[in-house]
Amino acid sequence: EFILLGLSDTRELQVLFFTFFLLAYAMVLLGNLLIIVTVRTDPKLSSPMYLLLCNLSFIDICYTSVTSPRMLVDLLSQRKAIAFEDCIAQLFFLHFVGASEMFLLTVMAYDRYTAICKPLHYTDIMSRRVCWVLVSACWAGGFLHSIVQTLLTVQLPFCGPKTIDNYFCDVPPVIRLACTDIYVIEWLMASNSGLISLVCFLVLVTSYMFILVTMRVRFTEGHWKALSTCASHVMVVTLFFVPCMFIYLQPFSTFSSNKLICVIYTVFSPVMNPLIYTLRNNEVKASMWKLWKRCR
């Protein structure tokens, strides 16, 4: 088993963190479930953008559920032990869902690029069938990425220190506990996780550059609405990708656990998604209001 050191060993801070993260986890669950129900029940929200948004909400629920419940239990526990099998399972699902979200955010950027830069061909390029193929490819890519990370981790011998200076199991702090030279392994893993984060981020930035250039040439009220949607997307991308690139684009042997950065992409990013996509989207807000009046 491993011992998770958690966020703090001060009892007062642990109670404060428990309250804060419990509220954050509840917001993620309720906010994203509300988005899923709203999109599924309103025929007006049947465009590819909302289909992708619905899948993003589902991924966020899965993603935060990999780390938050365990963290909440550990904050109230004296001994924060986790079995090796549970640690590997957490690592696997964290990278599975996390990489799937990276790919999905990239697909969402491509969807906005197509809608703004090629509006006449949008329905042909982003049909419902194409959307489901892209979503399936995101999940398949996430699984492939995660299985590689997991297989490289489980074959390492662990016989030394068993303390993980974090509140969840992730590749960098876990493989540093291996009783062998991890130079080759860490570069294989960094090239896997780090390059996925970097390439997806560069694709996203490039797509938004094309969108901005297109808007500067022909700016209309419709383009202003699309720009508002893209601004929301950029906020999500920044919160999610920048911390991931900071952690995974460096040698793990020199990795110093920065729990604040981990909190940003495991807690704050899933919390912000439902807020950003509802508060800045009039169609979603109107549909939620109609759903509320129907349920009263």
Side-chain angles (χ1 to χ4, degrees):
E1 65 179 14
F2 295 120
I3 304 297
L4 297 170
L5 297 183
L7 292 170
S8 172
D9 55 2
T10 306
R11 189 61 184 170
E12 292 76 13
L13 280 178
Q14 288 179 348
V15 174
L16 180 64
F17 287 148
F18 176 83
T19 305
F20 175 77
F21 289 119
L22 180 62
L23 291 174
Y25 185 49
M27 287 178 62
V28 172
L29 294 181
L30 294 175
N32 285 294
L33 282 173
L34 181 59
I35 290 176
I36 292 173
V37 172
T38 302
V39 172
R40 298 289 295 176
T41 56
D42 193 339
K44 293 182 180 179
L45 303 180
S46 59
S47 67
M49 181 179 76
Y50 295 111
L51 174 63
L52 297 174
L53 175 60
C54 189
N55 279 277
L56 177 64
S57 294
F58 176 71
I59 285 180
D60 274 336
I61 291 173
C62 297
Y63 185 66
T64 193
S65 296
V66 174
T67 57
S68 291
R70 175 84 204 189
M71 174 178 61
L72 292 171
V73 171
D74 285 344
L75 284 170
L76 300 181
S77 304
Q78 292 295 328
R79 189 170 184 268
K80 304 170 178 58
I82 183 171
F84 178 77
E85 294 80 6
D86 295 339
C87 184
I88 295 300
Q90 189 179 57
L91 184 151
F92 169 79
F93 285 108
L94 180 74
H95 281 266
F96 177 27
V97 184
S100 299
E101 180 162 354
M102 287 186 181
F103 295 137
L104 185 63
L105 288 170
T106 308
V107 170
M108 292 177 74
Y110 175 71
D111 172 72
R112 290 299 84 208
Y113 162 77
T114 308
I116 296 170
C117 300
K118 300 181 180 181
L120 299 178
H121 303 284
Y122 177 69
T123 53
D124 295 327
I125 297 175
M126 291 297 294
S127 64
R128 197 169 186 83
R129 178 177 173 276
V130 170
C131 271
W132 280 115
V133 169
L134 291 174
V135 169
S136 301
C138 291
W139 284 101
F143 177 81
L144 182 62
H145 157 75
S146 184
I147 200 69
V148 171
Q149 299 285 85
T150 306
L151 290 176
L152 287 173
T153 303
V154 296
Q155 54 86 31
L156 294 173
F158 294 95
C159 55
K162 297 182 179 181
T163 56
I164 297 176
D165 189 18
N166 214 326
Y167 57 91
F168 65 96
C169 289
D170 197 7
V171 169
V174 169
I175 69 168
R176 288 180 65 191
L177 303 180
C179 308
T180 185
D181 183 13
I182 61 170
Y183 180 79
V184 176
I185 297 293
E186 69 176 344
W187 279 107
L188 285 174
M189 289 182 168
S191 62
N192 187 347
S193 296
L195 281 181
I196 286 177
S197 305
L198 180 61
V199 170
C200 288
F201 183 72
L202 291 177
V203 171
L204 285 160
V205 171
T206 303
S207 67
Y208 288 127
M209 288 177 61
F210 278 114
I211 289 172
L212 290 174
V213 170
T214 301
M215 287 182 172
R216 193 179 67 173
V217 174
R218 53 177 198 274
F219 200 83
T220 64
E221 184 178 348
H223 283 109
W224 174 256
K225 180 181 175 183
L227 182 60
S228 178
T229 303
C230 290
S232 304
H233 199 173
V234 169
M235 292 174 67
V236 174
V237 165
T238 303
L239 279 173
F240 189 68
F241 277 90
V242 173
C244 289
M245 288 189 294
F246 176 82
I247 288 177
Y248 296 112
L249 277 175
Q250 61 175 311
F252 297 160
S253 56
T254 61
F255 177 82
S256 59
S257 181
N258 194 320
K259 299 171 189 178
L260 176 61
I261 293 178
C262 294
V263 167
I264 290 174
Y265 73 89
T266 59
V267 178
F268 280 116
S269 180
V271 168
M272 293 302 295
N273 282 358
L275 293 176
I276 289 172
Y277 282 109
T278 52
L279 296 179
R280 296 183 60 86
N281 192 307
N282 292 328
E283 290 178 341
V284 174
K285 285 192 292 186
S287 297
M288 286 182 176
W289 179 244
K290 286 193 298 183
L291 181 64
W292 168 254
K293 289 195 292 186
R294 270 205 316 267
C295 295
R296 289 179 62 181

